[in-house]
Amino acid sequence: MKTHLNITLIQSDLFWENVNSNLSNFGKLISNIIGADIILLPEMFNTSFSPKSSHLAESMDGKTVNWMKDISKIKGCAIVGTLMIKEEESIFNRLVWISKNGAIYTYDKHHLFSLIKEEKYISKGKNRLIIELEGWKICPLICYDLRFPVFSRNDVEYDILIYLANWPVKRIDAWDTLLKARSIENQCYTIGVNRVGKDGNEIPFNGHSKVFDAFGKKLFSATENKEEVLHFQISLSDLKLKRRQMNFLQDRDNFSLL
């Protein structure tokens, strides 16, 4: 068991639909990372958020996943990001978690962003993923999932809730508010990883990557509008202390997701 986790999130600009340039840039940003247990990347980190461009979807044995495997092995840590994955006739916005021992875990985005008709190009995922790492339980989700508290609800005693996103400036107040709300209602660390820059549709992104504790206190925040590698450490004993002090989870409603 690890009483503390060292996590690095990368708040980066993304090259529009250019896998090689994105992987090269992330390789440079990751090169100086030392001692991380987990490296977190934004949503669709290899292409930017471009669900219409289904020709960019890869297989689980494709270039990007193999790149992630190499990074995980070199850095001796987990690496997590989302990309478009094709399986048979379906394409998923898939979160891929590569553990330092080489184990691979996946979560397919459940809530598809109807404002831009993501559901026309991307197939809907079904089940959440819970990762167990060195005594911690982690629930990694994707962008639009943040708006749906029932799906995010802590009914399995997870310790960390993660959202990997491409969340635009236009709705950034919702991002800030909902990240804090998810941490309070689920009594967990909540981590939001967002991008900066403009995408191929000239939509601006300003980051606001943040970490909140179980009381909703902001612990760490990346610089607005800046590509940044943010390192931070979180404490399991502090989380458990907060839950002992105010154990609201014991009074939660019982329900099951269909």
Side-chain angles (χ1 to χ4, degrees):
M1 173 180 284
K2 296 196 71 167
T3 59
H4 295 79
L5 279 184
N6 296 301
I7 301 177
T8 299
L9 68 80
I10 301 181
Q11 176 177 281
S12 61
D13 199 350
L14 297 176
F15 295 91
W16 183 250
E17 299 185 350
N18 190 327
V19 175
N20 289 336
S21 292
N22 282 313
L23 298 188
S24 176
N25 186 49
F26 279 112
K28 293 173 185 175
L29 294 171
I30 289 169
S31 63
N32 293 322
I33 295 174
I34 298 173
D37 295 302
I38 307 170
I39 297 172
L40 299 174
L41 309 177
E43 180 183 23
M44 289 196 187
F45 72 92
N46 66 332
T47 59
S48 185
F49 186 71
S50 181
K52 292 181 181 180
S53 300
S54 56
H55 65 281
L56 295 172
E58 302 183 17
S59 72
M60 286 297 293
D61 193 35
K63 181 172 188 172
T64 300
V65 175
N66 281 318
W67 176 88
M68 294 176 73
K69 290 178 184 177
D70 290 342
I71 294 293
S72 177
K73 185 175 181 179
I74 291 168
K75 291 298 179 180
C77 68
I79 185 167
V80 191
T82 99
L83 66 152
M84 287 186 286
I85 292 289
K86 184 173 184 179
E87 288 190 346
E88 297 179 349
E89 299 304 313
S90 296
I91 295 173
F92 298 95
N93 183 350
R94 178 167 291 176
L95 182 146
V96 178
W97 180 296
I98 311 285
S99 294
K100 68 178 182 179
N101 65 2
I104 301 176
Y105 305 94
T106 64
Y107 159 69
D108 295 328
K109 189 176 183 182
H110 181 69
H111 296 95
L112 302 177
F113 192 47
S114 57
L115 272 180
I116 66 161
K117 296 181 170 48
E118 185 180 9
E119 72 280 0
K120 285 185 62 176
Y121 313 99
I122 302 294
S123 296
K124 184 176 183 176
K126 296 179 180 179
N127 301 315
R128 292 188 315 187
L129 170 68
I130 303 297
I131 298 288
E132 297 197 18
L133 175 67
E134 303 281 2
W136 296 71
K137 293 178 74 173
I138 305 169
C139 180
L141 297 174
I142 303 173
C143 201
Y144 194 39
D145 289 330
L146 177 61
R147 287 189 178 270
F148 301 93
V150 173
F151 191 72
S152 301
R153 188 60 170 149
N154 193 357
D155 57 348
V156 293
E157 306 296 336
Y158 62 67
D159 306 301
I160 308 172
L161 186 57
I162 296 170
Y163 296 94
L164 307 184
N166 274 208
W167 198 286
V169 172
K170 187 175 182 179
R171 293 180 290 278
I172 203 66
D173 286 348
W175 167 263
D176 294 338
T177 300
L178 293 174
L179 283 174
K180 183 172 183 175
R182 296 295 88 84
S183 68
I184 294 169
E185 68 196 12
N186 294 304
Q187 291 201 279
C188 66
Y189 289 106
T190 298
I191 303 169
V193 184
N194 197 23
R195 63 159 296 181
V196 293
K198 289 185 178 181
D199 69 11
N201 297 310
E202 292 299 307
I203 295 172
F205 299 81
N206 62 348
H208 284 223
S209 299
K210 290 181 171 66
V211 183
F212 292 90
D213 73 7
F215 287 172
K217 178 183 178 182
K218 185 172 66 177
L219 299 179
F220 308 97
S221 181
T223 305
E224 186 174 19
N225 286 313
K226 181 181 178 182
E227 192 167 70
E228 185 172 351
V229 179
L230 180 65
H231 311 279
F232 57 93
Q233 185 180 83
I234 54 178
S235 165
L236 187 58
S237 59
D238 183 70
L239 174 64
K240 290 182 176 180
L241 174 62
K242 285 179 168 59
R243 287 178 173 173
R244 288 196 302 270
Q245 291 172 333
M246 298 185 186
N247 191 356
F248 302 126
L249 284 177
Q250 69 182 353
D251 301 323
R252 65 186 171 228
D253 297 309
N254 293 319
F255 64 89
S256 59
L257 295 172
L258 298 178

